[in-house]
Every structure is written in C-alpha cells, then in structure tokens.
Amino acid sequence: MTESGPRSEDLLAHVLLPVAHEKDALATAEALEPYQPDRVTTLHVVEKGEGVPDKTPVEQSEEVAAESYAAVRTVFPDADDHTAYARDVVGAIFDAAEAVDASAIAYRSRGGNRIMQFLSGDLSLKLVTNADRPVIALPRVERTE
C-alpha cells in the first residue's frame, strides 16, 4: 500500500471470483482477463437450506461447481477453487475472501429479467456496501462469436 491507498497491482494480486454456473464462470473469467490479475480463486457457493430442503442435491451442486472451475481454468489455467456451503451467499463470499486472503472480489452482474435483476441487484448492493475489501464490478460484455 502507498500512503494514498492501495495500488492497482495490489488490488489484482489475488482476486476472488464468485460464479454461479459454467456459462457464468466463463463469461466472468473472460471479463476479468483483460485486467491480468496475478492470482485467481474461483468461488462457487452451494446454497444450503438450513432446516428446509436444499434447492438442488449436493452432488448436483458439486458437479456445477466442478464445471464452473473448469470453465474458469480455460481462461486462468492456474486458478484455485473454493467451494462454500451456506444459506447466505454474500456472507459466504465474504468468508471465502477472508479464508483465501483475497485482495479483491470481482463479480459480474447476472442480468436476466426484472425479477432476476432485482434479486441480483440486492446481492450486488450487499456485496459492494458490506465488503471489507475492494469489490470490482466487471463489465457485462457478451461474446459475439
């Protein structure tokens, strides 16, 4: 750190990259690629029900996580992976960032219909306002290939 704050090199020293599924993982990794982070850890949060049935079976969720990690490794071959099991997705992201000592959290808005935008917007707001480290909102650029 400098006296005026963190340098951009420090910001990109170790980026935590939360992803939802394979397609999201690839798009998010591609959005991060131009910024050339030194190290990337991909995070997949398996949402647990805490007293209610899980949204998807754990085995299926772990398969989605594995596919997501593989997609990120097509862009960042040395990316680490981290799986979290939690009901509170944003809290799990913060816990993972601390556990892996990430310098920043980079995410890509999920888009979708108005309801999805409302729900993801709520998560985005919590992510950027409650984080204890920098949060990087990546641009939503879709591949044209």
Side-chain angles (χ1 to χ4, degrees):
M1 289 225 188
T2 63
E3 288 181 35
S4 62
R7 297 186 318 266
S8 64
E9 307 87 65
D10 297 333
L11 185 68
L12 297 172
H14 184 187
V15 176
L16 181 69
L17 199 66
V19 298
H21 48 74
E22 182 179 12
K23 184 178 176 182
D24 173 60
L26 181 59
T28 304
E30 288 174 343
L32 178 62
E33 183 180 28
Y35 304 99
Q36 303 175 342
D38 295 336
R39 183 174 170 204
V40 173
T41 296
T42 309
L43 170 67
H44 180 79
V45 179
V46 176
E47 292 185 66
K48 298 295 292 173
E50 292 183 21
V52 299
D54 295 334
K55 289 183 177 183
T56 57
V58 173
E59 298 79 18
Q60 183 180 350
S61 295
E62 289 174 343
E63 185 177 317
V64 169
E67 291 166 352
S68 298
Y69 301 146
V72 170
R73 285 193 186 103
T74 65
V75 179
F76 297 105
D78 297 327
D80 294 321
D81 57 69
H82 187 90
T83 305
Y85 300 85
R87 182 175 188 165
D88 175 10
V89 174
V90 175
I93 293 170
F94 294 155
D95 291 346
E98 185 171 328
V100 303
D101 195 27
S103 57
I105 300 165
Y107 80 102
R108 184 175 158 274
S109 171
R110 303 294 182 255
N113 63 33
R114 283 190 216 177
I115 293 173
M116 286 306 296
Q117 288 177 357
F118 173 76
L119 294 173
S120 68
D122 185 46
L123 293 176
S124 294
L125 181 62
K126 288 178 184 175
L127 190 61
V128 299
T129 57
N130 297 332
D132 65 350
R133 66 199 70 229
V135 176
I136 303 165
L138 298 167
R140 280 193 59 80
V141 178
E142 299 297 328
R143 281 180 98 160
T144 56
E145 296 176 15

